[in-house]
Amino acid sequence: MLTLKLLRENPEFVIKKLAVKNFDAAEIVGKINELDRSRRKLQTELDSCLAEQKRKAALIGGLMKSGKKDEAESVKAEVAELKSKSSELERLSEENNTELNSLLVLLPNIPCDQVPEGKGAEDNVVVKMGNTIPELGPDALPHWELAKKYDIIDFDLGVKLTGAGFPVYKGKGARLQRALINFFLDNNTAAGYLEVEPPVMVNEASGFGTGQLPDKEGQMYHATLDNYYLVPTAEVPVTNIYRDVILGNNDFPVKMTAYTPCFRREAGSYGKDVRGLNRLHQFDKVEIVRLEKPENSYAALDEMIAHVESLVNKLGLPYRILRLCGGDMSFTSAITYDFEVYSAAQGRWLEISSVSNFESYQANRLKLRYKDENGKIQLAHTLNGSSLALPRVVAALLENNQKDGKIEIPEALRPYTGFDYID
């Protein structure tokens, strides 16, 4: 959530920067600043009214002791009138704040200066490519056919048990999932991230804190009886660990990693690009989250990108890193880098990670603050990244490593799988 101070002092800057996200903010910013002026005026009147009410109430006892009963009764009447006025001002302030907050949550985060302009994925900028794309023979199969051939993933059984987008992993497929989760977590903890195991359901406050609500409620599975949401990413519960927390100046960096199953409705997704593991309603993902002081957050972002890149390199997957344009970024992000791996049998790039800096946008929602070296309260910066999302990693591993009637497991993963091949 953008701060009122920024919107008040630099409205034209906000409007110009949000245009990079193809968001016309002029009307909303104008209304917010109008309500902010009313809010501050009402608060001034309320403070003055309460102070006068307190001053006059303090006179009553002395007047009664002095025998000035009539004068005391007159002051009592004035205090009663001031109480009524202050109640009305509080009501108006509450209405004003409700309307103000309802508008504030409509504004996305401001993209940083490095974000290119653009409408969609076609305008994203490739900043790096790595590893060689394998040349497969004419008999190469896409991962959904490989999964059936080796009986390691059963998509039809998932439909029977739940529905489309909920696969069942079997045998070496299940062991590959477990191996990847442990491989990613071990590498993350070796890089200094504290492993946590959070709940996979969160309350509404947590969804609001990281920006999933009210923006993405249509994509989240909602347990309506208890008003809980199944997590779309571990980012939500992990970052919310620090909701309403004030950190010390020396508490940084805060580095956390977590594995969770993730749940997304993916409404409107259909067609050939969602076959097999390409797009699921339930999938496994390991996440990294960082909390930083503002002056360190972009160095932290570079470290996170390098760390995710190291994981992809250890798996030997051909990849590219993209800096997302304004039109393809999330609502809450200030800058995002996507990692994609090449799926050789499908002949297409598959996204496996997004690494983002949210600057103070989430922190303002979370009320996540810290005391700087001068003891002043400041908003922290939050960052997160997938390290990594499993389904498309598995798809690329199966497709790219098929040869001579078997699928070779990358060497770095073999201590975790306990086998060298799927055959």
Side-chain angles (χ1 to χ4, degrees):
M1 193 160 62
L2 302 181
T3 64
L4 283 171
K5 184 176 185 291
L6 175 64
L7 291 162
R8 184 188 313 129
E9 295 178 356
N10 297 289
E12 295 305 319
F13 167 79
V14 172
I15 292 166
K16 180 180 178 181
K17 294 298 291 184
L18 288 183
V20 176
K21 281 192 170 181
N22 303 307
F23 189 93
D24 186 355
E27 185 177 351
I28 295 175
V29 170
K31 287 180 179 178
I32 286 172
N33 281 329
E34 183 180 336
L35 286 165
D36 183 38
R37 286 189 291 270
S38 297
R39 178 188 66 85
R40 287 181 287 137
K41 182 181 177 183
L42 284 166
Q43 190 61 51
T44 299
E45 290 180 20
L46 178 59
D47 290 345
S48 176
C49 184
L50 290 171
E52 182 67 5
Q53 180 183 317
K54 183 179 180 181
R55 187 186 69 81
K56 286 185 176 292
L59 297 174
I60 295 171
L63 291 170
M64 293 294 286
K65 285 181 181 179
S66 302
K68 299 177 181 179
K69 187 176 179 182
D70 290 344
E71 192 172 340
E73 291 299 325
S74 176
V75 173
K76 280 184 181 179
E78 291 176 8
V79 169
E81 187 176 335
L82 287 167
K83 281 184 178 179
S84 177
K85 182 180 178 182
S86 64
S87 294
E88 177 63 12
L89 287 170
E90 286 173 346
R91 185 189 67 79
L92 291 172
S93 292
E94 189 174 333
E95 286 182 358
N96 180 283
N97 288 337
T98 298
E99 187 176 358
L100 183 59
N101 288 329
S102 71
L103 291 174
L104 280 170
V105 299
L106 297 179
L107 292 177
N109 197 4
I110 290 173
C112 79
D113 292 340
Q114 299 173 55
V115 173
E117 294 185 5
K119 299 288 186 183
E122 66 279 1
D123 297 315
N124 294 335
V125 177
V126 177
V127 296
K128 189 173 183 180
M129 298 184 71
N131 295 329
T132 303
I133 294 174
E135 293 184 11
L136 301 181
D139 297 329
L141 300 175
H143 69 271
W144 53 86
E145 293 186 23
L146 292 169
K148 187 172 185 179
K149 177 180 178 181
Y150 297 108
D151 194 25
I152 54 174
I153 308 171
D154 195 323
F155 296 100
D156 294 332
L157 184 55
V159 172
K160 173 186 176 181
L161 297 178
T162 308
F166 295 89
V168 175
Y169 299 88
K170 302 163 61 178
K172 287 187 174 181
R175 289 172 65 184
L176 179 60
Q177 288 286 112
R178 179 157 47 92
L180 283 166
I181 292 165
N182 289 335
F183 172 73
F184 294 145
L185 285 172
D186 283 353
N187 276 269
N188 293 349
T189 55
Y193 291 88
L194 173 70
E195 183 178 352
V196 296
E197 185 176 343
V200 297
M201 300 185 81
V202 293
N203 56 31
E204 194 169 353
S206 293
F208 176 82
T210 45
Q212 277 69 32
L213 298 174
D215 180 49
K216 296 183 177 68
E217 56 264 75
Q219 292 293 337
M220 297 172 72
Y221 285 99
H222 188 192
T224 55
L225 185 62
D226 300 296
N227 198 27
Y228 293 156
Y229 293 85
L230 286 164
V231 298
T233 166
E235 168 203 347
V236 182
V238 173
T239 311
N240 271 277
I241 290 171
Y242 285 86
R243 173 159 42 94
D244 297 319
V245 169
I246 298 178
L247 293 165
N249 188 56
N250 297 321
D251 290 336
F252 297 96
V254 176
K255 301 169 67 175
M256 298 172 286
T257 185
Y259 153 70
T260 63
C262 302
F263 305 87
R264 300 182 187 179
R265 294 188 64 246
E266 300 288 7
S269 298
Y270 58 91
K272 64 181 180 64
D273 290 343
V274 302
R275 288 196 67 178
L277 298 171
N278 288 344
R279 193 173 296 275
L280 302 175
H281 296 305
Q282 178 182 329
F283 60 95
D284 292 319
K285 181 158 70 80
V286 177
E287 195 81 358
I288 50 175
V289 171
R290 288 181 71 151
L291 312 180
E292 296 282 351
K293 291 191 283 189
E295 62 266 29
N296 298 332
S297 71
Y298 276 89
L301 178 67
D302 290 341
E303 287 180 18
M304 293 171 73
I305 292 167
H307 176 68
V308 172
E309 185 178 11
S310 74
L311 298 177
V312 181
N313 273 320
K314 286 177 181 179
L315 295 176
L317 294 170
Y319 68 93
R320 64 182 186 181
I321 306 173
L322 305 124
R323 185 186 300 128
L324 299 193
C325 71
D328 202 31
M329 287 172 62
S330 75
F331 190 85
T332 52
S333 173
I335 187 168
T336 295
Y337 289 86
D338 272 6
F339 280 75
E340 296 180 340
V341 292
Y342 194 75
S343 177
Q346 297 180 70
R348 56 192 291 257
W349 292 96
L350 304 174
E351 180 197 331
I352 58 165
S353 175
S354 288
V355 184
S356 301
N357 189 346
F358 303 99
E359 296 187 358
S360 62
Y361 188 87
Q362 287 183 334
N364 194 30
R365 285 174 169 241
L366 293 159
K367 294 184 173 59
L368 165 54
R369 297 157 291 170
Y370 72 100
K371 284 186 179 180
D372 66 17
E373 57 189 6
N374 299 314
K376 186 178 179 181
I377 299 295
Q378 307 277 10
L379 288 171
H381 278 194
T382 65
L383 306 93
N384 82 273
S386 316
S387 67
L388 294 158
L390 268 68
R392 294 167 187 166
V393 168
V394 171
L397 285 174
L398 296 179
E399 293 182 9
N400 295 358
N401 295 315
Q402 57 181 307
K403 187 178 180 182
D404 299 330
K406 56 188 176 183
I407 299 168
E408 187 175 6
I409 299 298
E411 189 172 338
L413 203 56
R414 292 176 185 177
Y416 292 88
T417 58
F419 52 84
D420 297 350
Y421 299 96
I422 296 174
D423 53 15

